[in-house]
Amino acid sequence: MKKLIALILAVMMALALVACSAPAAAPAPETSNTETEAPVQNSAEPAPETEEELTFAIIYPASDANWYNSIAEGFKYGAEEASEKLGIKINTMLLPSDYDVDLEVANIEMCVTQGIDGLCMYSFNESGAGLAAQKLAGTGIQLVCADSCGQGLEAGYDMDGCVDFDWYKMGEDYAKWMAENTTGDYVIITGNFESYPCQFVNEAIQKTSEELGVNKLVGPILDSDYEADKAAAIAEDLINSGKTFETIFAMCADLAVPVCRVLDAAGYLNNPYKVITQNGQDDLDIAAVADGRMQMTISSSPGYEGYVAFRWLLSERLGKCDLTNEQIWLPCAVVDYEATQNRDNTVIVPWEPCEEWATLAVRDMPQLDWYDK
């Protein structure tokens, strides 16, 4: 009996020791290039980074439009290209804000909390660039703003700078093209009145056309809210309005294509109404200019813009470039039928990654040539 009791006690002591021992640590997850599309809670401190591993983010208005997605994809491609060329692990976070101010703020704050290396801020409202500059001040996080028409710099906020297309020059180019190729007046279907690019283009078209004295705006400027169906309805109304005009300028290809469809169905496309637009997207306005539906467009690749923004941020982070509050205007090109028949990717810049992007980036911003040597 005593032996049985002793055996039981020994078993009980062994079980108690097992229960009190610490569990084995779980194996650490393997690291890899990451892509995040929404802010996440991260209570743990981020792992310290070296120049062998960097993290960059782009905050952009939403993922429901070609332009927005293209700029984010161009940014991501720039990271992938640099990672391969330099042997540095580069993580990218793609953070759409879904036109929500609170979500945009959360995205910015997450970037600060995680201590990323650089942020491209592309806001859907006029205060986004300044808000990012304020929240990143003193953090050491590089900041480049895109598609803001320099409003963050105009307001006096400190950042590396802004990268954008010269929207005012675009407006001048439209007016000059109309003066050289048409004799009638024109109407404007804009994106929306809150958009800085729209404001710059609309102002420049009107001012330049008045100076040239060939074409006049038949007002008022018509707001489509960047909605294709609304642009099509506006075109219907214009046909039935009794107004006399020759050219319809639609702010982007996503608006111009449905306008062409309405005019074509009514038998008025290019007889008498001509359509001009902006984007330079191969399967939309470039194709429409090539087949004669549209008369001209302007090439401006958001993918290329995102690519330049990434290369700028990386150059600043690695000390290869030292710009402060700099405005970089990316060139844009008038595209007519002849240009589409003699395609040059340095003129009609593709939205999708291409080898010409690297060449153009160095041409447009010479400080970015260091890792191509």
Side-chain angles (χ1 to χ4, degrees):
M1 185 66 178
K2 290 182 178 179
K3 290 182 178 180
L4 177 60
I5 293 172
L7 178 61
I8 292 172
L9 289 173
V11 171
M12 291 177 65
M13 290 177 66
L15 291 172
L17 288 171
V18 171
C20 293
S21 62
E30 293 184 6
T31 57
S32 62
N33 283 20
T34 60
E35 177 184 325
T36 305
E37 292 194 347
V40 294
Q41 296 297 322
N42 187 353
S43 57
E45 288 295 322
E49 291 181 338
T50 68
E51 289 192 0
E52 285 70 46
E53 180 174 356
L54 302 170
T55 299
F56 295 88
I58 179 169
I59 297 174
Y60 56 111
S63 57
D64 63 353
N66 291 334
W67 185 276
Y68 303 152
N69 288 328
S70 182
I71 196 170
E73 287 300 316
F75 186 87
K76 179 184 173 185
Y77 170 75
E80 292 169 347
E81 179 192 63
S83 182
E84 181 178 349
K85 284 186 175 182
L86 304 177
I88 299 174
K89 181 179 177 184
I90 300 177
N91 306 310
T92 56
M93 299 193 300
L94 311 185
L95 305 173
S97 294
D98 299 330
Y99 310 107
D100 184 322
V101 173
D102 292 336
L103 182 54
E104 185 172 80
V105 172
N107 280 330
I108 298 170
E109 291 177 344
M110 182 184 68
C111 291
V112 174
T113 300
Q114 294 201 0
I116 68 170
D117 295 284
L119 171 64
C120 175
M121 183 69 201
Y122 176 10
S123 181
F124 62 92
N125 65 78
E126 63 183 45
S127 62
L131 181 64
Q134 287 177 305
K135 288 188 175 294
L136 266 60
T139 65
I141 298 172
Q142 311 295 153
L143 174 62
V144 168
C145 290
D147 257 49
S148 66
C149 296
Q151 296 309 301
L153 296 179
E154 288 288 332
Y157 294 107
D158 289 327
M159 60 187 73
D160 294 296
C162 298
V163 58
D164 212 329
F165 295 102
D166 194 338
W167 298 97
Y168 196 90
K169 182 180 182 301
M170 282 192 208
E172 294 176 332
D173 287 341
Y174 292 123
K176 291 174 182 176
W177 183 90
M178 287 190 293
E180 293 170 1
N181 296 276
T182 70
T183 56
D185 296 331
Y186 65 97
V187 296
I188 294 176
I189 301 177
T190 196
N192 63 53
F193 292 122
E194 290 73 36
S195 163
Y196 277 115
C198 291
Q199 292 173 20
F200 277 75
V201 169
N202 295 343
E203 178 185 347
I205 291 178
Q206 294 176 81
K207 182 178 180 181
T208 307
S209 63
E210 289 173 1
E211 292 172 351
L212 296 172
V214 178
N215 317 100
K216 293 185 300 182
L217 172 67
V218 177
I221 295 175
L222 304 165
D223 188 348
S224 70
D225 291 323
Y226 277 112
E227 295 178 9
D229 290 344
K230 191 168 182 179
I234 290 172
E236 290 271 11
D237 291 342
L238 286 169
I239 290 172
N240 300 316
S241 68
K243 294 179 179 178
T244 302
F245 59 91
E246 182 177 358
T247 305
I248 299 175
F249 165 68
M251 180 61 192
C252 68
D254 289 320
L255 304 176
V257 168
V259 168
C260 286
R261 192 177 302 122
V262 168
L263 296 178
D264 192 30
Y268 294 134
L269 184 59
N270 296 318
N271 182 32
Y273 304 124
K274 299 177 174 66
V275 178
I276 62 176
T277 190
Q278 174 269 144
N279 265 84
Q281 195 168 358
D282 281 327
D283 59 349
L284 289 178
D285 50 322
I286 298 301
V289 172
D291 66 25
R293 281 174 292 153
M294 296 183 198
Q295 296 302 301
M296 68 86 77
T297 188
I298 286 181
S299 172
S300 49
S301 165
Y304 172 61
E305 182 181 15
Y307 174 76
V308 171
F310 173 80
R311 288 186 62 152
W312 188 351
L313 286 170
L314 179 65
S315 299
E316 294 282 357
R317 173 62 181 80
L318 297 182
K320 304 293 186 177
C321 175
D322 186 19
L323 298 178
T324 303
N325 297 331
E326 188 78 17
Q327 177 68 63
I328 302 297
W329 295 112
L330 301 180
C332 40
V334 172
V335 178
D336 56 13
Y337 175 80
E338 182 178 355
T340 66
Q341 303 308 299
N342 300 280
R343 177 65 183 255
D344 180 347
N345 282 353
T346 64
V347 177
I348 305 176
V349 182
W351 282 35
E352 301 297 326
C354 64
E355 62 182 17
E356 286 84 1
W357 277 9
T359 302
L360 289 169
V362 174
R363 181 198 71 184
D364 298 336
M365 195 173 172
Q367 299 90 340
L368 305 182
D369 72 342
W370 57 273
Y371 67 75
D372 290 314
K373 292 181 178 179

